[in-house]
Amino acid sequence: MCGCCGLPLTLCRCPGLGRRAVLGAISLALLLASGRALSSCPSSCECSEPAKTVKCVNRELSSIPSGIPASVRTLFITGNNISRLESGAFGQSLQQLLTLSLSGNRIRAVDSLVFASLPKLQQLDLSNNRISRLQAAAFGAAPLSLQELNLSRALLNGSVVEQLSESLQSGSLSNLRQLQLAENDLFYLPARTFSRLPSLQHLELRNNSIVELRETFRNLTLRTLDLSSNALKRLGNSTLSELASQPNISIKLRDNPFDCDCGIEELLTWLQSTQKVVDRESLLCASPESLRNKPILQLKHSDLKCTVRGDMESVLQTSYVFLGIVLALIGVIFMFVLYLNRKGIKKWLYNVRDACRDHMEGYHYRYEINSDPRLTNLSSNSDA
């Protein structure tokens, strides 16, 4: 109440005093609200109520701390020692959480439904961990709002790639637009790993050991693709078709050990006709030795020694023709020999016919004797 007029502070008409009292009351209310909010902050974290941010950084935590404010929008839990993310690790559903960073926590296992309680999560950073077990349903079954996923340096080694593929194909990441998989020592990608990421636009695969791509980019509409610093020696026709069919894609391919032989002929043709490979001028041959470190775009098709293949095809065609001529000549000779020996062959056929006839008559005679009882008895008596 106002000490001047006896009215409530919000209705006070006393000059100066009422205004100061109102401002003081508002400040006190904000302070109390802030105190209540801060009081719910985990002891191992720092909470900023205005920004709705919680930071639990380098606190040697072994699990996700409990008591995280439900109003949090940005959550940093980094630089700790959390070896496993269990189902229900975040406790109650954090309905307002938009950004979550779990980088550098030495995470080894991610169980099913870990992130299912974060329905509005848009950015997730799992980089710089040691994940060796990634459950296929880690992101849940229903589609999430997740748009950015950072898994750079997150996997223990390339042996986790099958689990990674299953989790990406679970159907819960249909809204994902950006995926980072750099520096994970991946040496291959299972076919259709990204087939259930229809919204994916930015894919980073740099600094791995990928040697081959098979049905990797089918049904995608990428805007950026980073394949630099891998172990690609060539790109197959199917992969080139998948990339060529994407109208606005920007591709990086530098620092791959391309074999500049006949297997790269289609890639050379494509590079000469497209602007989609932004670093195409820096692509170099790794082999053969005669072309080592030569820019691929400076190659001529004759440099690839593909004439050997053409010569081989010509040799095979010539061989087939020659074989046909030889067989035809043998056939003619055989018919000519038959013609010259036609009388002898005819006599031989007659002899065979007569021999067969005599043989059959002998069989017929013995059959008649065996079938006639009289002849059978006569033969028995004569024996007696």
Side-chain angles (χ1 to χ4, degrees), residues 199-361:
S199 302
L200 190 63
Q201 296 184 5
H202 307 281
L203 178 58
E204 185 176 323
L205 292 166
R206 62 178 176 82
N207 288 334
N208 283 289
S209 302
I210 300 173
V211 298
E212 184 182 10
L213 297 170
R214 296 181 296 110
E215 298 184 36
T216 307
F217 311 113
R218 182 177 296 183
N219 301 326
L220 296 182
T221 308
L222 296 173
R223 298 184 65 87
T224 62
L225 171 62
D226 193 345
L227 284 167
S228 58
S229 300
N230 275 281
L232 295 170
K233 294 186 175 182
R234 59 180 55 87
L235 294 180
N237 289 340
S238 59
T239 299
L240 291 176
S241 299
E242 292 171 4
L243 297 177
S245 65
Q246 304 192 40
N248 301 313
I249 192 172
S250 175
I251 307 170
K252 293 181 181 179
L253 287 172
R254 69 182 184 278
D255 298 328
N256 278 285
F258 291 108
D259 283 341
C260 293
D261 55 16
C262 279
I264 205 176
E265 188 173 18
E266 290 78 11
L267 174 60
L268 175 59
T269 301
W270 184 60
L271 290 175
Q272 292 173 339
S273 62
T274 186
Q275 299 293 327
K276 295 179 179 179
V277 182
V278 296
D279 54 0
R280 61 179 190 153
E281 300 287 345
S282 62
L283 303 185
L284 304 176
C285 296
S287 63
E289 190 63 31
S290 59
L291 297 175
R292 187 175 179 84
N293 293 328
K294 183 173 183 177
I296 293 179
L297 276 182
Q298 295 182 13
L299 293 175
K300 298 178 182 178
H301 287 271
S302 58
D303 295 331
L304 305 179
K305 308 297 183 182
C306 291
T307 53
V308 174
R309 183 178 62 185
D311 291 345
M312 183 59 68
E313 291 177 354
S314 300
V315 170
L316 289 175
Q317 291 176 357
T318 303
S319 300
Y320 293 147
V321 172
F322 181 74
L323 179 61
I325 294 174
V326 171
L327 292 176
L329 182 60
I330 291 174
V332 170
I333 293 174
F334 179 72
M335 295 301 295
F336 183 69
V337 171
L338 290 178
Y339 176 75
L340 292 178
N341 292 276
R342 62 188 183 279
K343 292 182 179 180
I345 293 173
K346 184 176 182 180
K347 183 178 179 180
W348 178 76
L349 289 175
Y350 284 156
N351 291 337
V352 172
R353 182 193 64 182
D354 293 341
C356 290
R357 181 185 298 170
D358 294 342
H359 195 65
M360 292 303 296
E361 286 179 352

